[in-house]
């Protein structure tokens, strides 16, 4: 055992328990107390947490746009309301959230990235099929990197006592065209997420989570955890709407 390892008490749960208190209380809300004025330093504190996130090749391929102008929030919300109506017309049967709550968020951060950063990861750049495979993996590395930074920001917001909303329904080209001009985002970048945070308009609830035994495997995948496509389809049709918008205590 190294001197550094020997000097640390690995049985001390103090920091772990403090972290888990934040993790378990990172609660989603989709309607905020719009009368609350977000202290500017809280943006810095939240983004400082994002800044320290891990990333592939330590490329840190993320950009964060703090949106404090209410008119901009309203215009971004307009796009999502149109998307909500479009989904209803398409009869997707997806329990789409009420996006009007976006405009009420005191804290509002748009997360963007530049996919040219895949060059920082293992790629061949020779146009071969092997290069295509590596580039697909490089895109996953980039997305995981940005997600790690976003999650760090969410935990920081939760540690400050806020509830959050992670908005990811923006992969469509139409969404990019709607938001980039509003925020002056260069064409080469992509908007990946929106993070909203602040006091909730009404008490939030803890959503259902799988048990530890359902997700943990030791040394090899537990076949009992495998779901057939028919089982997944059944879950989507009978359970998805419950776990998305119900208190965990009300999920039967």
């Amino acid at each position: 055992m190294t001197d550094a390892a020997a000097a640390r008490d690995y049985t001390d749960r103090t920091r772990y328990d403090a972290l888990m208190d934040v993790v378990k209380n990172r609660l989603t809300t989709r309607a905020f107390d719009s009368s609350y004025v977000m202290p500017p330093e809280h943006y810095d504190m939240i983004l400082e947490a994002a800044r320290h996130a891990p990333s592939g090749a330590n490329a840190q391929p993320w950009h964060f746009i703090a949106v404090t102008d209410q008119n901009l929030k309203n215009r971004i919300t307009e796009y999502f309301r149109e998307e909500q109506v479009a989904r209803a017309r398409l009869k997707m049967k997806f329990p789409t959230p009420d996006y009007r709550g976006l405009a009420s968020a005191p804290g509002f951060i748009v997360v963007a990235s530049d996919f040219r950063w895949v060059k920082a990861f293992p790629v061949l750049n020779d146009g071969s099929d092997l290069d295509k495979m590596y580039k697909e993996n490089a895109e996953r590395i980039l997305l995981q990197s940005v997600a790690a930074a976003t999650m760090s920001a969410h935990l920081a917001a939760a540690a400050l006592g806020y509830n959050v909303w992670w908005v990811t329904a923006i992969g469509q080209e139409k969404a990019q065209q709607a938001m980039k001009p509003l925020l002056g985002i260069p064409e080469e970048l992509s908007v990946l997420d929106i993070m909203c945070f602040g006091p909730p308009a009404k008490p939030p609830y803890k959503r259902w989570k799988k048990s530890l035994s359902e997700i943990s495997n030791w040394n090899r995948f537990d076949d009992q955890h495998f779901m057939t496509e028919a089982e997944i389809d059944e879950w989507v049709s009978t359970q998805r709407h419950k776990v998305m918008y119900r208190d965990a205590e009300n999920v039967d």
Side-chain angles (χ1 to χ4, degrees), residues 26 28-30 32 76-77 79-80 83 87 96-99 101-103 105 107-111 150 154 164-172 175 179 191-197 207:
R26 189 212 64 83
T28 296
T29 189
R30 293 181 173 85
F32 298 87
I76 292 171
T77 300
Y79 165 77
F80 281 95
E83 171 65 17
R87 289 185 193 177
T96 301
D98 186 348
Y99 285 117
L102 283 167
F108 198 113
I109 296 175
V110 175
V111 185
T150 305
H154 274 249
V164 296
W165 185 1
W166 192 327
V167 183
T168 57
I170 48 184
Q172 308 94 315
M179 277 182 279
V191 178
L192 298 183
D193 302 297
I194 293 175
M195 173 189 176
C196 297
F197 54 98
R207 292 196 285 178

Side-chain angles (χ1 to χ4, degrees), residues 116-241:
R116 292 176 299 174
W117 277 105
V118 298
K119 297 177 181 179
F121 312 134
V123 291
L124 294 171
N125 287 323
D126 61 3
S128 64
D129 288 341
L130 185 60
D131 180 47
K132 181 180 178 182
M133 180 195 74
Y134 276 115
K135 284 185 175 177
E136 288 175 350
N137 186 59
E139 288 190 2
R140 295 189 187 99
I141 294 172
L142 182 142
L143 290 171
Q144 290 179 39
S145 299
V146 177
T150 305
M151 190 69 234
S152 293
H154 274 249
L155 291 176
L160 287 168
Y162 297 128
N163 291 130
V164 296
W165 185 1
W166 192 327
V167 183
T168 57
I170 48 184
Q172 308 94 315
E173 182 58 32
K174 184 180 177 182
Q176 302 295 315
Q177 294 172 354
M179 277 182 279
K180 286 181 184 179
L182 284 178
L183 302 172
I185 297 174
E187 182 59 35
E188 290 81 2
L189 274 64
S190 297
V191 178
L192 298 183
D193 302 297
I194 293 175
M195 173 189 176
C196 297
F197 54 98
K202 57 184 178 180
Y205 54 85
K206 181 71 174 179
R207 292 196 285 178
W208 169 82
K209 300 295 180 183
K210 292 181 179 179
S211 67
L212 185 59
S213 62
E214 290 179 278
I215 66 168
S216 56
N217 305 270
W218 295 89
N219 297 315
R220 59 182 292 115
F221 184 78
D222 186 339
D223 291 339
Q224 293 183 358
H225 293 171
F226 178 77
M227 295 178 70
T228 65
E229 189 160 357
E231 288 172 329
I232 293 175
D233 289 343
E234 174 71 10
W235 187 93
V236 168
S237 64
T238 64
Q239 298 297 316
R240 179 180 63 179
H241 64 286

Side-chain angles (χ1 to χ4, degrees), residues 9 22 28-29 47 81 137 161 169 238 247:
D9 180 5
V22 173
T28 296
T29 189
L47 294 180
R81 283 288 292 157
N137 186 59
T238 64
D247 189 310

Side-chain angles (χ1 to χ4, degrees), residues 33-48:
D33 178 358
S34 60
S35 67
Y36 180 77
V37 179
M38 183 64 59
E41 62 269 23
H42 283 191
Y43 278 101
D44 290 339
M45 294 169 71
I46 288 168
L47 294 180
E48 179 68 6

